[in-house]
């Protein structure tokens, strides 16, 4: 229930964020979620049709009683199965070859270790799939995001603040790849090769 305002803000700004990000190139987006005790890291897979992502975001709700959300998915509140959700998204999203890859996590509760989701296997999944992690922090996720090698941005529930956090996170991550060396060309990071092709 504590994420209701953030989810509402994300719904209100989804269209404008995706429009802004489309200026970076051929952008695909999708959605996932985590709570406790369960998760769905890939709720809707990656698509270049922004309307698909917007519809999926609009179908999400907080774990408020009577909100229409399946309360069986929200048996706990703190900590949550964030490692599982991020790992699932990193491993199972339909990433395009050579693409710059991002997972943006919204949360206000720390992550917990489960039989399938740990810091180690989530780090491995992000690394194996060349995914950059961005956290939009509404409370207590900063430590988990930074432990996973991600960047953290604070936000309020205001749509403009959420939009700024997402866009700053993605454009800041892309800026890390604006210098390409000859050594990157022979089998280095695919994101660096993509940056070279786009210059």
């Amino acid at each position: 229930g504590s994420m209701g305002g953030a989810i509402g803000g994300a719904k209100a700004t989804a269209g404008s964020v995706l429009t802004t990000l489309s200026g970076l190139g051929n952008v695909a987006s999708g959605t996932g979620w985590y709570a406790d005790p369960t998760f769905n890291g890939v709720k809707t897979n990656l698509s270049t049709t922004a309307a698909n992502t917007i519809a999926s975001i609009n179908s999400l709700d907080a774990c408020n009683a009577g909100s229409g959300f399946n309360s069986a998915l929200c048996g706990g509140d703190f900590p949550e199965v964030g490692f599982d959700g991020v790992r699932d998204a990193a491993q199972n999203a339909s990433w395009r070859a050579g693409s710059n890859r991002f997972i943006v996590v919204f949360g206000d509760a720390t992550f917990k270790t489960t039989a399938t989701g740990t810091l180690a296997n989530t780090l491995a999944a992000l690394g194996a799939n060349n995914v950059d992690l961005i956290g939009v922090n509404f409370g207590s996720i900063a430590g988990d995001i930074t432990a996973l090698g991600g960047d953290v941005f604070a936000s309020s529930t205001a749509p403009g603040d959420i939009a700024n956090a997402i866009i700053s996170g993605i454009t800041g991550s892309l800026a890390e790849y604006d210098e390409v060396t000859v050594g990157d060309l022979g089998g280095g990071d695919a994101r660096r090769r993509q940056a070279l092709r786009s210059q």
Side-chain angles (χ1 to χ4, degrees):
S2 60
M3 284 296 291
I7 292 170
K11 289 177 181 180
T13 196
S16 65
V17 166
L18 291 171
T19 297
T20 299
L21 293 177
S22 69
L24 299 174
N26 185 6
V27 173
S29 58
T31 64
W33 59 267
Y34 66 90
D36 184 61
T38 191
F39 64 94
N40 187 349
V42 181
K43 174 178 167 57
T44 56
N45 216 329
L46 298 170
S47 167
T48 55
T49 304
N52 293 345
T53 302
I54 293 167
S56 185
I57 290 170
N58 286 335
S59 75
L60 295 171
D61 209 341
C63 296
N64 296 319
S67 68
F69 196 95
N70 183 349
S71 61
L73 305 176
C74 303
D77 186 47
F78 196 100
E80 296 180 332
V81 294
F83 290 131
D84 284 290
V86 172
R87 178 195 47 77
D88 184 64
Q91 289 179 332
N92 297 317
S94 297
W95 304 108
R96 294 180 292 177
S99 62
N100 295 298
R101 302 167 182 185
F102 305 95
I103 294 174
V104 179
V105 177
F106 289 68
D108 65 356
T110 55
F111 293 178
K112 71 177 178 182
T113 299
T114 69
T116 56
T118 66
L119 174 63
N121 70 13
T122 305
L123 269 169
L126 290 166
N129 293 286
N130 296 316
V131 180
D132 288 321
L133 188 63
I134 298 164
V136 181
N137 187 19
F138 294 93
S140 302
I141 66 167
D144 294 310
I145 299 299
T146 55
L148 290 168
D151 295 317
V152 179
F153 295 82
S155 183
S156 75
T157 58
D161 290 342
I162 293 172
N164 288 338
I166 295 169
I167 293 165
S168 295
I170 291 175
T171 56
S173 292
L174 287 172
E176 294 175 14
Y177 301 104
D178 62 359
E179 181 177 337
V180 181
T181 67
V182 173
D184 295 322
L185 299 177
D189 193 318
R191 292 171 295 184
R192 295 179 191 269
R193 295 195 300 275
Q194 178 66 25
L196 177 64
R197 289 195 296 269
S198 66
Q199 288 179 353

